[in-house]
Amino acid sequence: MKALDAGRGFTLVEMLVSITILSLVMLATVTGLRTLASTQTSLMTVTTRNDEMRSVSSFLRDALEAAVAGSDNGGLSLGGDRSDATIFEVSRDSVLWRTSLLFGEVSGGSYVVRVAREDSRIVLRWQLLDAKGEVGDWNNAPSRPLVENVQEFSVAYRREWDGAWKASWDERGLPGWVRLNLRAGGRYWPEMILAVAQ
């Protein structure tokens, strides 16, 4: 019997087979890591969008529930003291109302706010009524973008729960509900139906 040669190495075929197997294992590992990273990015995008939807709808719900009803029927008009007036107006791409806002923990008050589409953003603007109780120029009002990359935005309202949705404001005071439809980032948001304080 011939003794095994202790110095015998691997053959070329054995080396090629082992390199091929190692390459396949590395390819599977890299592909798995890429899939994991892609899934993580997708989950972060969805989570961020859901957080944005939740915070915007929560803010709007709270602000509409805190709408200030004054002594008149509402709508924007010229002349007269409007300091105790109901201010509410809906157009196809904006909603404007008077509400109580709290900035930080100590400052706040009764502001007129407007949520409207400006270019490709939904922007919140707010201002105090002037000395005559009138609303000033919205272009000079402080602002904060609520939603970026907006493709569609529409506003409607109704007075009764089973009433028809209207986009043209009738100037009859506070409505019962406001509906916002929004498409941003190529995706539709769930329809927001918000109750207005009465």
Side-chain angles (χ1 to χ4, degrees):
M1 259 184 140
K2 214 174 184 186
L4 290 174
D5 184 8
R8 180 178 178 262
F10 293 107
T11 65
L12 182 60
V13 172
E14 290 171 333
M15 289 295 292
L16 287 175
V17 168
S18 63
I19 289 172
T20 303
I21 291 172
L22 181 62
S23 298
L24 290 174
V25 168
M26 288 180 64
L27 179 63
T29 303
V30 169
T31 303
L33 290 174
R34 279 188 185 161
T35 302
L36 182 63
S38 176
T39 302
Q40 179 67 23
T41 302
S42 297
L43 284 173
M44 288 300 293
T45 302
V46 169
T47 302
T48 301
R49 188 174 66 244
N50 286 343
D51 287 345
E52 181 183 37
M53 281 189 265
R54 190 176 303 114
S55 63
V56 169
S57 62
S58 177
F59 167 75
L60 292 174
R61 182 171 287 107
D62 292 345
L64 282 166
E65 286 177 354
V68 175
S71 58
D72 71 347
N73 287 336
L76 295 176
S77 62
L78 298 174
D81 184 8
R82 308 263 305 151
S83 60
D84 189 35
T86 298
I87 298 176
F88 205 98
E89 186 176 283
V90 173
S91 71
R92 187 166 296 282
D93 61 356
S94 70
V95 59
L96 176 145
W97 72 102
R98 187 170 171 194
T99 188
S100 297
L101 289 180
L102 182 64
F103 294 102
E105 295 182 8
V106 292
S107 63
S110 180
Y111 289 84
V112 179
V113 298
R114 185 184 77 167
V115 174
R117 182 175 181 177
E118 296 180 11
D119 298 321
S120 65
R121 302 182 309 167
I122 302 300
V123 177
L124 167 71
R125 292 188 181 268
W126 63 92
Q127 61 179 292
L128 292 168
L129 295 174
D130 65 16
K132 294 181 181 178
E134 295 291 329
V135 178
D137 181 13
W138 284 108
N139 293 324
N140 299 327
S143 67
R144 178 177 176 207
L146 295 177
V147 184
E148 301 282 346
N149 195 17
V150 174
Q151 289 86 35
E152 295 177 28
F153 180 64
S154 64
V155 182
Y157 73 96
R158 67 180 173 195
R159 300 200 174 279
E160 296 82 28
W161 176 248
D162 57 351
W165 289 105
K166 301 176 185 178
S168 299
W169 183 239
D170 62 10
E171 300 185 17
R172 287 183 19 218
L174 296 175
W177 295 268
V178 173
R179 181 185 69 190
L180 305 175
N181 288 321
L182 176 64
R183 184 165 74 98
R187 295 180 181 258
Y188 283 97
W189 285 33
E191 185 176 69
M192 287 183 274
I193 298 178
L194 309 167
V196 180
Q198 297 298 318

